[in-house]
Amino acid sequence: ASFPRKKIIHEQDTLKLYFGDFHEHTVVSKCARKSNPESHDLFANLRDIEQLDFCAITDHHDSVDRPTWAYNSEQTRTNHDNNTFVTYLGQEWSSSVGPNSFGYGHHNFIYLDPFLKAYINPNESYLTPTALWNRLEGHDFICIPHQLADWGDLMLSGGAWGNPPKDWNYYNEKVQP
């Protein structure tokens, strides 16, 4: 079913307002395995209950291996409908090193190709954002930072590091302006 969306006319163009989510984890991601659903259930919830128009699964890169990537890709293609619910293949990358020893922050990579074979593997947490963008050159993607200025949760109980904020020294006019 198609959900009604607000339309406005601007000059000769009819513009529609769409709603979506480019940061969703499944049971694969280590942060909340007990509460995150399987990918097919997540897509159904976002489409049928939350009534979103588009979304991407962005499981943590260090929780994704080749079989998981293939499964998420297949689920992305299966749940995609150009007319009612657009799904994107995605992945969250968090660095393990950086200029301030907290890393470069968290970034969601959203890919246009749902058949993409390349993915960010667990060994690529040491890269700079620029090096990762260069490695993915030739693929259509955008990179969306999150935890933009989140120093409050940085030190978790037990001395573990939490969410490093985005390092704003790294940007790319094409993929992350």
Side-chain angles (χ1 to χ4, degrees):
S2 181
F3 306 107
R5 294 294 183 226
K6 182 175 181 168
K7 297 178 189 177
I8 62 169
I9 305 297
H10 176 71
E11 296 175 0
Q12 281 79 18
D13 296 321
T14 300
L15 305 174
K16 293 181 183 177
L17 181 61
Y18 294 99
F19 295 90
D21 190 343
F22 277 153
H23 187 187
E24 284 290 340
H25 297 309
T26 70
V27 68
V28 169
S29 285
K30 63 184 178 183
C31 60
R33 283 192 174 120
K34 291 181 181 178
S35 61
N36 289 335
E38 295 281 344
S39 56
H40 60 275
D41 291 331
L42 177 62
F43 281 129
N45 177 58
L46 296 174
R47 178 188 60 237
D48 302 333
I49 297 171
E50 294 186 30
Q51 299 184 359
L52 297 182
D53 300 299
F54 63 90
C55 74
I57 291 176
T58 52
D59 282 319
H60 291 279
H61 83 279
D62 55 357
S63 299
V64 175
D65 56 15
R66 195 164 298 281
T68 302
W69 184 252
Y71 181 74
N72 279 353
S73 300
E74 184 267 333
Q75 288 297 307
T76 299
R77 293 188 302 271
T78 299
N79 286 279
H80 181 89
D81 182 332
N82 275 338
N83 297 315
T84 60
F85 188 62
V86 177
T87 58
Y88 294 93
L89 186 57
Q91 193 171 17
E92 180 180 348
W93 173 76
S94 303
S95 58
S96 62
V97 297
N100 58 15
S101 74
F102 301 122
Y104 300 100
H106 297 250
H107 301 77
N108 289 326
F109 284 74
I110 311 299
Y111 304 100
L112 190 56
D113 181 3
F115 291 92
L116 186 70
K117 299 282 189 240
Y119 67 99
I120 305 167
N121 67 55
N123 299 323
E124 293 181 303
S125 60
Y126 67 90
L127 295 175
T128 66
T130 303
L132 192 53
W133 296 325
N134 290 341
R135 186 182 80 64
L136 292 169
E137 191 169 334
H139 300 292
D140 290 325
F141 70 94
I142 58 171
C143 180
I144 305 170
H146 70 91
Q147 311 291 8
L148 302 180
D150 187 9
W151 284 102
D153 292 344
L154 197 52
M155 183 61 89
L156 301 176
S157 61
W161 290 105
N163 299 317
K166 163 69 178 149
D167 184 339
W168 290 104
N169 292 311
Y170 291 86
Y171 66 93
N172 179 300
E173 287 297 330
K174 180 181 175 194
V175 298
Q176 184 194 285

